[in-house]
Amino acid sequence: MVRNSVGKMVEKPKYGGVFIEAITVEPLHFDEASLYIHTAGSLKLTNEDLQMGDWAKGPSGTGEVSWLYHMATPAKWAAGCLAESWEIDGDTATFHIRKGVHWHNKPPVNGRELTAEDVLYSLKRVWTIPTSYTAFAYPWDTHIESMEAPDKYTFVLKCKPGKLGLVWAMATDHHRIVPHELYPEDKATREWENTCGTGAFMLVDYVASSAMVFEKNPNYWGKDPLHPDNQLPYVDGVKWLVIPDLSTRMAALRTARIDMLSGITWENAVNLKKTNPELQSFKWLTGDFTTLFYRLDREPYSDVRVRRALAMAIDNEAIARDLYGGEAVILGAPIPPIPEFSDLYIPVDKVDPETRKLFEYHPDEAKQLLAEAGYPNGFKTEAICYAAHPYHVDLLSIIKDYWAKIGVDLKIDIKEYGVWTSMGAGVTKTYQHIFACHITTPNAFRFVHETPGKTVNYGLIDDPKINEAYAKTIEDWYDYDKQVEIYKELLPYSLSMCFYQQLPTPYVYTYWQPWVKGYNGEYMAGYANQGCDHQRHLWYDQELKQELTGR
């Protein structure tokens, strides 16, 4: 046993082993300029950004933050990554690039040192290539004044007046830095073989619909913040197995074919406790739960009475009890009851009585509202979803039955993941009625789902009160406490308007094998880092695995 940097007595980390995980959907591409980082997931292991979340402030360290949720990282929880430090002066941010960081040693980059020119090149790409999320969500012409690299280790970002706050999270903790030798300046690359970064792992093999193999970067710059003398990563490599089927993923966990599985539902958690009591586990409230987004730019969804009727026709208590086994909260969006938002969350029993009805079951009042809105006999509608999501189809089937009782005929249209993504992506949506997606709840108070021009504003919300509050948060972008005050004042109004259909938020579980050490349930340390930080920090007890499995 050793004492780590925050004073905890822990096992001494060991080196070696290959950490194996299952992924449900393989990357759609290998360059976030093709869309965004979430559809180019392997970049999260191979490439890095300027800033990251401080691992030492999470569950394995001081416990100040859960590191479970997708949210722009407040300054108090942030740490330097490729940028060692930075200063902000008005609309200008100056970043001091970390010295001694090298690219993966592969041709034609050949392990050369990272410079500020690489940062300049990378951020210019995602702000100017038309297929990039950032190019149309935060256009250069309206957000960026200039980007410069005045010397080898300095990068300067100057924004249009009042825009640095909007750009900050994307520039610092979202976009990965890439080398100019392998990533074209004016278009996205789709070849996995071109992947080259400064990250802890190198992508060395990819078999479509089968597996992705990452090897340890022997020249990685990072040290373990909890054991500052230790070079990261501890494991020799990471392997992602593409397993879309849930039962197959569960079997892989039970038989130790994989080392970890996250997002496990309560039913499967009950079974795992019986069949595999040796597994370690962590229960947490999902930050990405199913939400129904209405097209608010067209009838009947532009009428708040219709939206309220659809809400009151759903028995949320029954869904929480029967679908989630009681392992859910009724009101978990847009703000969930998590430690980070203890001063912001409003439980359902604390909202005003009329708004509370939107989360209760009142089918008769729902019928009356539809009649008042001009739909006494209901109407036909359609929801787009994708099959691999654990709850999309089940939830929509339940809602279909509820809505039928008030005359609303719901058609469920199941799409492949890529098709589903394309229908909801971009500023212009191609779905016609309802888009079954999710709210990234901990990031919601930055209005990413509720303001015009945001690609994840799936419902095309354009509301004066929300827009005004959003403008105020931009003015106070670096004052986290003020932002919380602004959103808390707006939240009762947002809930009452039922801009989208909040459904019960379930708890999920993460399970991992007993030989996975130095891990306490963390899922992402920083913005847009889903499922990609733990591999760098955990260690693998190969002797224990041999003892327990014979392998």
Side-chain angles (χ1 to χ4, degrees):
M1 301 291 286
V2 296
R3 192 177 299 277
N4 66 19
S5 62
V6 298
K8 292 183 179 179
M9 291 301 296
V10 296
E11 292 184 70
K12 183 179 180 180
K14 301 176 183 178
Y15 286 90
V18 175
F19 179 71
I20 305 175
E21 291 179 284
I23 58 174
T24 58
V25 179
E26 58 195 314
L28 297 181
H29 41 258
F30 299 89
D31 181 354
E32 61 182 317
S34 291
L35 188 55
Y36 40 45
I37 191 65
H38 310 300
T39 50
S42 63
L43 287 180
K44 297 177 183 181
L45 264 65
T46 59
N47 294 67
E48 297 176 299
D49 33 30
L50 295 176
Q51 177 185 290
M52 60 184 173
D54 188 343
W55 185 265
K57 293 181 179 178
S60 294
T62 60
E64 298 171 48
V65 60
S66 65
W67 288 146
L68 287 168
Y69 302 102
H70 176 64
M71 61 184 292
T73 309
K76 59 183 177 180
W77 298 326
C81 189
L82 296 183
E84 198 165 32
S85 61
W86 49 85
E87 298 96 33
I88 297 172
D89 181 9
D91 297 304
T92 301
T94 301
F95 299 89
H96 304 286
I97 305 306
R98 191 180 299 275
K99 298 178 181 179
V101 175
H102 292 265
W103 295 102
H104 296 158
N105 190 15
K106 62 181 292 185
V109 187
N110 298 322
R112 67 171 177 80
E113 187 181 14
L114 169 85
T115 69
E117 287 288 344
D118 293 310
V119 177
L120 173 62
Y121 182 83
S122 300
L123 294 184
K124 272 193 172 182
R125 286 185 80 244
V126 292
W127 251 282
T128 55
I129 294 177
T131 54
S132 165
Y133 161 81
T134 305
F136 49 76
Y138 305 92
W140 182 289
D141 290 345
T142 56
H143 289 72
I144 306 297
E145 185 67 39
S146 64
M147 294 183 184
E148 297 177 322
D151 61 54
K152 189 175 181 180
Y153 300 110
T154 305
F155 170 68
V156 180
L157 169 64
K158 185 174 183 180
C159 293
K160 300 287 187 181
K163 299 296 186 181
L164 181 58
L166 291 175
V167 168
W168 179 263
M170 302 303 298
T172 62
D173 200 10
H174 190 285
H175 288 308
R176 270 56 180 178
I177 307 304
V178 299
H180 66 84
E181 293 94 333
L182 288 168
Y183 291 79
E185 182 178 11
D186 58 350
K187 64 180 179 180
T189 178
R190 292 184 176 272
E191 292 76 21
W192 72 265
E193 294 89 348
N194 285 348
T195 301
C196 181
T198 59
F201 299 98
M202 305 177 292
L203 179 60
V204 296
D205 193 24
Y206 169 51
V207 179
S209 303
S210 178
M212 306 185 75
V213 178
F214 305 84
E215 288 183 357
K216 174 180 181 176
N217 176 7
N219 197 28
Y220 186 56
W221 62 271
K223 297 290 185 71
D224 185 346
L226 295 172
H227 304 275
D229 293 332
N230 292 359
Q231 194 76 32
L232 294 175
Y234 291 107
V235 295
D236 291 332
V238 175
K239 188 173 185 179
W240 283 355
L241 302 179
V242 183
I243 309 178
D245 179 67
L246 175 60
S247 61
T248 306
R249 293 197 300 274
M250 295 298 298
L253 182 66
R254 289 192 181 95
T255 58
R257 185 180 170 215
I258 59 176
D259 295 311
M260 182 184 294
L261 188 59
S262 191
I264 295 174
T265 62
W266 70 272
E267 308 103 314
N268 289 316
V270 169
N271 292 329
L272 279 175
K273 289 174 184 176
K274 295 177 182 177
T275 62
N276 294 77
E278 77 282 1
L279 292 173
Q280 307 297 300
S281 67
F282 182 82
K283 175 184 173 181
W284 53 290
L285 193 69
T286 179
D288 294 308
F289 75 102
T290 303
T291 306
L292 305 185
F293 290 91
Y294 309 117
R295 285 206 61 144
L296 300 190
D297 62 334
R298 59 183 58 173
E299 296 179 348
Y301 319 104
S302 55
D303 191 325
V304 68
R305 294 171 295 182
V306 171
R307 302 195 300 270
R308 287 170 176 164
L310 294 175
M312 288 192 290
I314 298 171
D315 190 341
N316 288 292
E317 290 283 357
I319 291 175
R321 180 187 65 243
D322 300 335
L323 183 61
Y324 300 132
E327 297 279 349
V329 297
I330 298 300
L331 179 53
I335 298 299
I338 61 175
E340 290 88 332
F341 292 145
S342 58
D343 294 331
L344 183 56
Y345 177 67
I346 303 176
V348 70
D349 61 349
K350 298 297 183 182
V351 300
D352 69 87
E354 285 301 310
T355 301
R356 195 180 309 152
K357 286 183 178 181
L358 302 177
F359 303 94
E360 299 170 344
Y361 187 44
H362 299 285
D364 291 338
E365 290 190 44
K367 286 182 181 180
Q368 182 179 341
L369 274 179
L370 282 184
E372 292 175 5
Y375 301 95
N377 300 316
F379 55 87
K380 291 185 177 181
T381 187
E382 177 184 77
I384 305 299
C385 68
Y386 79 95
H389 192 281
Y391 288 119
H392 271 192
V393 178
D394 288 345
L395 264 174
L396 287 172
S397 298
I398 294 170
I399 291 169
K400 178 181 176 69
D401 290 340
Y402 282 131
W403 283 356
K405 295 173 184 177
I406 63 168
V408 175
D409 182 8
L410 173 64
K411 176 184 176 182
I412 303 170
D413 191 356
I414 305 171
K415 302 293 187 182
E416 292 297 321
Y417 177 71
V419 175
W420 170 83
T421 298
S422 67
M423 295 183 77
V427 176
T428 302
K429 313 302 180 185
T430 60
Y431 73 92
Q432 298 301 308
H433 296 275
I434 299 172
F435 189 66
C437 190
H438 56 266
I439 286 181
T440 50
T441 47
N443 208 36
F445 84 106
R446 294 182 185 262
F447 300 93
V448 296
H449 297 290
E450 300 171 311
T451 47
K454 297 292 191 297
T455 59
V456 290
N457 179 4
Y458 299 112
L460 298 172
I461 299 169
D462 187 359
D463 181 86
K465 287 188 177 181
I466 290 181
N467 296 344
E468 181 183 357
Y470 179 49
K472 290 180 180 177
T473 65
I474 295 173
E475 294 175 7
D476 295 306
W477 196 262
Y478 306 106
D479 191 327
Y480 184 77
D481 294 334
K482 281 188 178 180
Q483 286 189 318
V484 168
E485 289 177 12
I486 293 167
Y487 200 91
K488 188 171 185 177
E489 182 178 343
L490 179 74
L491 189 53
Y493 168 76
S494 295
L495 294 174
S496 72
M497 292 300 290
C498 202
F499 290 115
Y500 37 74
Q501 182 60 55
Q502 297 107 324
L503 297 165
T505 307
Y507 285 93
V508 292
Y509 290 78
T510 298
Y511 274 83
W512 61 95
Q513 304 291 353
W515 48 83
V516 175
K517 302 296 182 70
Y519 179 73
N520 291 279
E522 301 95 331
Y523 187 61
M524 65 184 88
Y527 188 41
N529 287 353
Q530 294 96 318
C532 72
D533 285 305
H534 56 279
Q535 302 95 336
R536 186 173 66 232
H537 294 93
L538 60 79
W539 58 277
Y540 208 81
D541 192 333
Q542 297 179 88
E543 294 177 358
L544 180 59
K545 182 178 182 179
Q546 175 72 28
E547 176 186 332
L548 295 178
T549 68
R551 302 200 303 270

